[in-house]
Structure formats: C-alpha cells, structure tokens
Amino acid sequence: MSDGIEPSTKARESEVIDPRIEALVTELIGRVADKWTMILLEVFEEHGEQRFTQIARLVPDISQKMLTQTLRRMERDGMITRHVHAVVPPRVDYALTPLGSSLSEAFCGVWVWAAANLDRVERAREDFDAR
C-alpha cells in the first residue's frame, strides 16, 4: 500500500540534519578554506610545536596581524593549543591538538587530489584562456 510520497522525499525527511552540525560545517569550511589556516595546519603537521616567531619565519607572506588572528581562531576552535611560559621575555608555544591533526588529515585529500590532477587543471585553464 502506497502513501503517495516519493521514496526520495521519504529519505530526505528521515535525514534531518542537526542545524548545529550544518552551521559548524559551514563555518569550518569557510575558515579552513582560508589559505592561512590551511598553511598553518601544514606547518604544525610538518614542524610540530612552534613559537610565534618561528611560525612567522615558516610563513613569510603572512602579516603579524593575520598570523595572530588565524592562531586565535584556530585556538578557539580547538585546533591548536597555546602555552605561555612564565619567563622573561615571555615565550608562547603553539601546537596542533589531536582535533587539529584530524582536520589536517581530512584536508590532506585536497593535496593528494591537486597532485593527481595538476596537469588536467592547468590544461583546462589554458584551454579556457585561449578561447
């Protein structure tokens, strides 16, 4: 006996997405898609715990203001920890958390995809620009 509702409609109704999860995904994609966050995730994965000045040296194109803002956002989201040492002059170390590491792993696929498809993307761009 049919209830008159299409199967695809039933499936969508049963897949109610928690609006908090949807908001978090949207926010994180926007933040992580930010090039500085992606670059800092890579820096921490490759170099481990770093001081602010070391990070600035490893990412020379980032301004001090943008580095500070990005680190604060990453700390707020639980991606990194900030440890202030009680020494003079003050020393602050930043390190990737397991949560940040898992996010880095999730976006590692983008790097793998880019490496596998670089030639195809470049050809597509050249074809487009030639038109």
Side-chain angles (χ1 to χ4, degrees), residues 5 20 22-24 33 47 52 58 67 74 91 110 116 127 130:
I5 298 175
R20 295 172 306 146
E22 187 172 2
L24 180 61
H47 301 281
F52 186 92
L58 291 167
L67 178 55
M74 292 175 74
R91 188 177 114 209
V110 174
D127 292 347

Side-chain angles (χ1 to χ4, degrees), residues 78-110:
M79 290 188 248
I80 61 170
T81 58
R82 179 177 181 264
H83 183 251
V84 181
H85 299 271
V87 295
V88 177
R91 188 177 114 209
V92 180
D93 293 322
Y94 297 88
L96 203 57
T97 64
L99 182 64
S101 185
S102 68
L103 181 61
S104 180
E105 290 170 16
F107 282 93
C108 181
V110 174

Side-chain angles (χ1 to χ4, degrees), residues 36-54:
W36 297 123
T37 302
M38 291 289 287
I39 289 170
L40 291 181
L41 283 172
E42 181 183 8
V43 164
F44 288 118
E45 279 291 347
E46 289 182 5
H47 301 281
E49 184 175 85
Q50 296 290 309
R51 294 177 66 183
F52 186 92
T53 53
Q54 293 169 316

Side-chain angles (χ1 to χ4, degrees), residues 14-82:
S14 68
E15 295 175 12
V16 176
I17 298 172
D18 183 334
R20 295 172 306 146
I21 294 172
E22 187 172 2
L24 180 61
V25 168
T26 301
E27 184 180 324
L28 284 175
I29 287 172
R31 186 161 304 140
V32 174
D34 166 81
K35 79 175 186 176
W36 297 123
T37 302
M38 291 289 287
I39 289 170
L40 291 181
L41 283 172
E42 181 183 8
V43 164
F44 288 118
E45 279 291 347
E46 289 182 5
H47 301 281
E49 184 175 85
Q50 296 290 309
R51 294 177 66 183
F52 186 92
T53 53
Q54 293 169 316
I55 299 167
R57 277 191 221 109
L58 291 167
V59 187
D61 294 338
I62 194 170
S63 69
Q64 183 172 344
K65 178 182 176 183
M66 184 55 66
L67 178 55
T68 299
Q69 288 175 349
T70 305
L71 288 170
R72 283 186 183 152
R73 284 193 305 261
M74 292 175 74
E75 182 183 8
R76 181 174 184 264
D77 288 338
M79 290 188 248
I80 61 170
T81 58
R82 179 177 181 264

Side-chain angles (χ1 to χ4, degrees), residues 1-13:
M1 184 155 126
S2 173
D3 57 11
I5 298 175
E6 294 290 321
S8 61
T9 304
K10 282 184 178 179
R12 282 193 300 266
E13 289 173 355

